[in-house]
Amino acid sequence: MSEGVERLRRQLDSVEDLGTLVHTMKALAQVSIHQSERAVRAVHLYLRTVRLGAFALLRDSAIPAPPDMRADAPRGLIVLGSDHGMCGRFNDDAAEQAAASIDAARRDGASLRLGVVGARVAAHLEAHDAHPETRIPAPGSTAGITATVQRLLGVVDAWRDAGIEHVALVHNRSVGAMRYEPVVRSTTPVDLRRIADIGGPWPSRRLPIHKMPREALLAAIVRQYVFAALFEACAESLAAEHGARLAAMQAAGESLDERREELGTKYRRRRQEAITAELLDVVGGFAVLTQGVPDPERDRFRA
């Protein structure tokens, strides 16, 4: 076979290997999406429990509204992204949404402290001239979300000790099987009216009682609410990341199918040309070797 045919064969083998890799990554992304969605549903149930506790504690109290943020008040911003690529514009979109919040803080003359989850989104933010002071690895699966949230709580506590009460989160949230949208959500200060809103009456005939001091119990409820909100954001971001990766792998698979068909057509044509050329060489060589050699059968027909 000619060198061109062998080169096409190697290219076809490479495309087949890439196709196997893409198929595996699609399967892993689908499994990860289901796990992340289950984590989101679980944390929603937990948030419901926290709200029930806040409602029972604050039902007879006048709940104050959270203080308005001054235009020049110091702020904290946490951006959730990924540590891995092959997920399209997932990190670009989160970084662009965060850049809009950063620009707003700069216009207001407010100081801003920036933290990120994920090395990829940190690189995109630096391209926007925003340099994170805190970098946390993104969770690779739902099992790692709790550790990430605990580190984020430490960051929020440190900022609060430094006088930063207003902390916001930027992350991507799934809006379909393979679609997402960037969102901005306030984390602190906590709106107690929102926590205590259970969307209806108490679900049983009796209200719970408590023996802990009211202020200590309220602080614990608020702490659990912040934890659950951070967990929810991380789980939603993880689900959106895997959805974006599934979409990217879907597009890559379609491109590989087209490339495989194109290379297959070229390979079959070149291989047929090579076989035809070899046969012609054999026939031509045979004709040269037999030139001038008597052939009784041939001579009989000529006569």
Side-chain angles (χ1 to χ4, degrees):
M1 294 292 175
S2 66
E3 181 182 352
V5 174
E6 291 301 322
R7 183 172 63 254
L8 286 172
R9 178 71 261 175
R10 289 193 296 270
Q11 290 178 353
L12 269 173
D13 291 341
S14 298
V15 170
E16 292 291 343
D17 292 341
L18 285 173
T20 302
L21 176 62
V22 167
H23 178 75
T24 301
M25 293 192 66
K26 285 172 63 177
L28 290 174
Q30 289 172 335
V31 171
S32 298
I33 288 172
H34 293 317
Q35 292 176 342
S36 301
E37 289 176 344
R38 285 198 299 268
V40 172
R41 289 193 294 269
V43 77
H44 284 170
L45 292 174
Y46 187 72
L47 279 168
R48 171 69 173 172
T49 302
V50 172
R51 287 194 171 99
L52 288 172
F55 175 83
L57 184 64
L58 301 173
R59 67 185 186 279
D60 296 326
S61 305
I63 306 175
D68 294 330
M69 182 177 66
R70 302 192 325 271
D72 60 346
R75 309 172 193 177
L77 185 67
I78 298 173
V79 188
L80 305 182
S82 75
D83 281 332
H84 306 290
M86 293 184 289
C87 50
R89 286 186 49 83
F90 178 81
N91 291 292
D92 303 73
D93 292 337
E96 289 176 2
Q97 183 66 58
S101 298
I102 293 169
D103 291 340
R106 289 171 176 170
R107 288 194 300 270
D108 293 338
S111 62
L112 179 74
R113 300 184 69 169
L114 181 62
V116 298
V117 176
R120 296 269 179 170
V121 74
H124 287 290
L125 284 169
E126 288 177 344
H128 288 283
D129 194 27
H131 304 284
E133 65 177 61
T134 303
R135 301 168 186 256
I136 299 174
S141 65
T142 54
I145 294 179
T146 299
T148 300
V149 171
Q150 288 173 343
R151 295 188 63 178
L152 287 174
L153 281 174
V155 172
V156 173
D157 289 340
W159 287 353
R160 184 181 295 112
D161 293 340
I164 299 175
E165 295 293 337
H166 299 275
V167 178
L169 279 173
V170 175
H171 67 92
N172 290 314
R173 177 178 60 192
S174 297
V175 292
M178 294 184 291
R179 296 175 57 245
Y180 63 85
E181 63 180 5
V183 296
V184 182
R185 63 199 309 178
S186 176
T187 303
T188 60
V190 172
D191 188 350
L192 295 178
R193 296 174 303 178
R194 181 182 177 186
I195 297 181
D197 182 10
I198 60 175
W202 185 259
S204 68
R205 292 184 298 175
R206 293 183 179 274
L207 288 168
I209 60 174
H210 62 88
K211 295 183 179 180
M212 286 180 60
R214 183 177 181 277
E215 294 301 324
L217 185 55
L218 179 59
I221 289 175
V222 170
R223 182 76 172 179
Q224 291 302 309
Y225 179 83
V226 173
F227 175 88
L230 291 172
F231 192 102
E232 180 186 32
C234 287
E236 288 181 344
S237 178
L238 195 59
E241 176 190 346
H242 290 302
R245 184 167 292 112
L246 180 60
M249 291 301 101
Q250 185 74 24
E254 293 174 357
S255 297
L256 285 174
D257 289 340
E258 294 176 0
R259 181 62 175 165
R260 185 187 298 109
E261 183 177 353
E262 177 186 351
L263 287 173
T265 301
K266 287 183 179 179
Y267 173 75
R268 289 188 293 272
R269 184 172 63 249
R270 293 285 181 86
R271 186 171 181 271
Q272 186 60 50
E273 291 173 354
I275 292 173
T276 302
E278 290 177 358
L279 289 175
L280 290 175
D281 289 343
V282 171
V283 172
F286 178 78
V288 170
L289 291 174
T290 58
Q291 188 175 4
V293 177
D295 187 341
E297 292 295 327
R298 182 186 60 196
D299 294 340
R300 182 170 64 83
F301 280 110
R302 286 178 177 177

